């Protein structure tokens, strides 16, 4: 964050410079609370695409602090500009590989929620190793999640969903909780993600599951 950023955030006006967080340097552990004008529960969305969920969540839950990570520069730029135009002050965005970021740069216990909606399914067997939800990522994300922190996952890909569930159900540090928990959200104000809206229109089945980290 540049030196004038905090003053502008307090005044409620964010520039792209404030909204965009540069990927950390090799070996750096980030302090997510330092990106915001005031502290709050920190949530991460991986693969935020054009930012529909990120923005709706930020607007409906002004008490939370959100970071969206997006690898594709076209979507990342679109989402960053959308955050600026919406004028929400509790969202930041970063362009990086989220798997590396979670593994190497997040402090332990910093996450109160992890959102992963329609991660790339890599349907061919020889490409499965490129999937986000794999054992090393799960272990790193678990370390970064605070006790009681939630994971919300959603996909339209039945086989990937099955693999996710096998992996996550076997994790001693996680227990399944209702996805639609009104005390946490998404609840009635759930606007869906960009891909969810598109796939729902095509009549595809959407698979969802949520977990909480055990103390
Ligand atoms: C299928 S799209 C879903 C986008 C959004 N979550 C939605 O539901 O509309 C998957 C997104 O994840 C992004 N992505 C895939 N792997 C990533 C990674 N390792 N780090 C950050 N973003 C990633 C892709 O660029 C893409 O925009």
């Amino acid at each position: 964050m540049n030196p004038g950023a905090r003053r502008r955030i307090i005044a409620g006006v964010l520039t792209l410079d404030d909204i965009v967080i540069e990927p950390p340097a090799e070996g750096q552990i980030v302090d997510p609370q330092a990106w915001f004008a005031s502290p709050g529960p920190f949530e991460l969305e991986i693969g935020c695409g054009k930012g529909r969920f990120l923005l709706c969540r930020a607007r409906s839950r002004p008490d939370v602090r959100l970071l969206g990570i997006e690898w594709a520069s076209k979507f990342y730029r679109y989402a960053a500009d959308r955050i600026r135009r919406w004028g929400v002050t509790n969202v930041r965005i970063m362009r990086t590989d989220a798997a590396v970021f979670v593994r190497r740069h997040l402090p332990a216990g910093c996450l109160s929620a992890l959102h992963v909606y329609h991660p790339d399914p890599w349907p061919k067997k020889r490409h499965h190793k490129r999937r986000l939800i794999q054992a090393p990522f799960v272990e790193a994300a678990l370390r970064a999640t605070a006790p009681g922190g939630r994971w919300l996952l959603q996909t339209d890909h039945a086989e990937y969903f099955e693999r996710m569930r096998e992996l996550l159900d076997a994790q001693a540090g996680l227990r399944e909780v209702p996805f639609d928990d009104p005390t946490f959200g998404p609840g009635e104000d759930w606007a869906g993600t960009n891909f969810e809206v598109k796939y729902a229109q095509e009549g595809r089945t959407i698979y969802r599951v949520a977990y909480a980290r055990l103390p």
Side-chain angles (χ1 to χ4, degrees), residues 111-159:
L111 284 180
S112 70
L114 173 67
H115 303 271
V116 183
Y117 304 122
H118 301 273
D120 290 335
W122 296 106
K124 290 183 184 156
K125 197 158 187 191
R126 69 175 188 277
H127 291 155
H128 284 185
K129 55 183 178 295
R130 298 184 190 174
R131 286 176 169 175
L132 176 75
I133 309 296
Q134 300 191 65
F137 170 81
V138 168
E139 271 155 36
L142 203 52
R143 184 193 55 85
T145 305
R150 303 280 179 113
W151 290 10
L152 285 89
L153 300 108
Q154 177 173 302
T155 177
D156 55 289
H157 196 279
E159 185 270 333

Side-chain angles (χ1 to χ4, degrees), residues 45-53 69-73 75 94-100 116-122 130 132 154 156 192-197 199:
E45 186 190 8
I46 292 183
C48 62
K50 291 180 176 176
R52 180 184 167 103
F53 166 77
I69 297 188
E70 175 51 55
W71 178 250
S73 61
F75 293 144
M94 182 186 289
R95 180 177 178 244
T96 195
D97 178 344
V100 173
V116 183
Y117 304 122
H118 301 273
D120 290 335
W122 296 106
R130 298 184 190 174
L132 176 75
Q154 177 173 302
D156 55 289
T193 74
N194 293 92
F195 271 67
E196 177 184 345
V197 170
Y199 291 154

